[in-house]
């Protein structure tokens, strides 16, 4: 059994070889600890963020951490999505980082999980204004929109996006999920979203639930 505290610490210290060795051990043992391992990696990313705030890590370290997290998802993804019914027709959804937020590490990790989970992801990128999202919904007819943000001000942009969908007469027929560091159950209600998530595996699970409800 893998020590999850050791994994979280290794991720926080950006010890790539140790992280990958521990994750491969999880998979070699059948993948039963995959969910715990993903949570441990998330805790490690919190450590990375703390070091960055304290000036011990720099932007290059954040980029490396994002790449390492993507590798972690790649190792664990089969166990994380197994039994979720990923076979069959793909469901399209829109994913983006909202206006006034330029962060994409978390969004890209979520995208890799959604791709692996059988979704067709329409990735609009970063700093995406509400009008662009509305137009893309009209163009594609998607029923699921995932809004990502790292900065606290992203909450205002998320709410503006939901309001824009309402004004366009699209909101009632859609499922809106918000994700990122500042989101919570309280902010989900403020934004007017249907659900919120802090980690990629929960995002995939909610996405599947949304398919059943909306598609």
């Amino acid at each position: 059994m893998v020590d999850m505290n050791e994994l979280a610490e290794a991720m926080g210290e950006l010890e790539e070889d140790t992280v990958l060795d521990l994750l491969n051990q999880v998979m070699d043992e059948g993948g039963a600890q995959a969910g715990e391992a993903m949570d441990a990696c998330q805790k490690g990313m919190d450590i990375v963020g703390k070091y960055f705030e304290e000036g011990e890590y720099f932007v290059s370290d954040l980029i490396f951490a994002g790449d390492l997290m993507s590798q972690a998802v790649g190792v664990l993804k089969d166990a994380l999505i197994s039994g979720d019914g990923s076979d069959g027709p793909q469901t399209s959804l829109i994913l983006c980082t909202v206006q006034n937020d330029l962060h994409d590490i978390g969004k890209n990790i979520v995208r890799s999980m959604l791709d692996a989970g059988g979704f067709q992801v329409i990735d609009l990128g970063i700093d995406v204004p509400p009008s662009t999202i509305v137009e893309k919904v009209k163009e594609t007819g998607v029923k699921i929109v995932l809004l990502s943000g790292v900065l606290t001000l992203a909450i205002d942009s998320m709410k503006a996006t939901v309001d824009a969908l309402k004004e366009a007469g699209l909101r009632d027929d859609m499922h809106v999920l918000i994700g990122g560091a500042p989101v919570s159950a309280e902010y989900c209600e403020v934004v007017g979203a249907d659900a919120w998530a802090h980690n990629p595996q929960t995002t995939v699970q909610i996405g599947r639930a949304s398919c059943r409800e909306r598609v």
Side-chain angles (χ1 to χ4, degrees), residues 51-205:
Y51 284 166
F52 180 73
E53 290 175 358
E54 294 173 349
E56 294 187 41
Y57 281 173
F58 303 96
V59 173
S60 59
D61 297 304
L62 293 183
I63 294 172
F64 181 81
D67 179 68
L68 182 55
M69 188 67 173
S70 295
Q71 291 184 67
V73 171
V75 173
L76 298 172
K77 66 182 180 182
D78 288 343
L80 291 171
I81 66 174
S82 63
D84 265 346
S86 58
D87 294 334
Q90 289 186 320
T91 296
S92 296
L93 54 79
I94 288 172
L95 171 68
C96 68
T97 300
V98 293
Q99 190 170 32
N100 299 320
D101 197 321
L102 304 178
H103 294 82
D104 67 353
I105 292 175
K107 175 184 69 66
N108 292 342
I109 291 170
V110 168
R111 174 172 180 164
S112 68
M113 280 295 293
L114 290 167
D115 285 338
F119 290 94
Q120 181 178 356
V121 182
I122 302 168
D123 188 345
L124 300 183
I126 60 175
D127 192 22
V128 182
S131 59
T132 299
I133 298 169
V134 168
E135 289 306 311
K136 200 64 177 181
V137 170
K138 290 179 179 178
E139 175 189 333
T140 60
V142 301
K143 303 298 183 184
I144 304 173
V145 173
L146 277 60
L147 305 176
S148 175
V150 172
L151 304 175
T152 302
L153 57 79
I155 298 298
D156 292 335
S157 295
M158 291 174 178
K159 186 177 188 306
T161 300
V162 172
D163 289 344
L165 290 168
K166 288 180 181 177
E167 291 173 9
L170 301 169
R171 177 67 181 93
D172 290 343
D173 196 34
M174 301 195 62
H175 196 104
V176 178
L177 167 65
I178 61 174
V183 305
S184 64
E186 180 181 358
Y187 279 134
C188 184
E189 185 174 350
V190 169
V191 167
D194 296 291
W196 64 281
H198 273 160
N199 57 63
Q201 66 267 37
T202 300
T203 302
V204 174
Q205 292 165 3

Side-chain angles (χ1 to χ4, degrees), residues 4-5 7-14 19 36-57 61-62 65-66 68-69 105-106 109 149-150 180-183 196-200:
M4 294 303 157
N5 290 326
L7 176 56
E9 182 177 347
M11 175 65 79
E13 297 295 333
L14 301 180
V19 169
E36 294 176 67
M38 197 72 249
D39 289 340
C41 289
Q42 292 285 344
K43 291 178 182 177
M45 290 295 284
D46 290 340
I47 295 172
V48 171
K50 178 175 177 290
Y51 284 166
F52 180 73
E53 290 175 358
E54 294 173 349
E56 294 187 41
Y57 281 173
D61 297 304
L62 293 183
L68 182 55
M69 188 67 173
I105 292 175
I109 291 170
V150 172
V183 305
W196 64 281
H198 273 160
N199 57 63

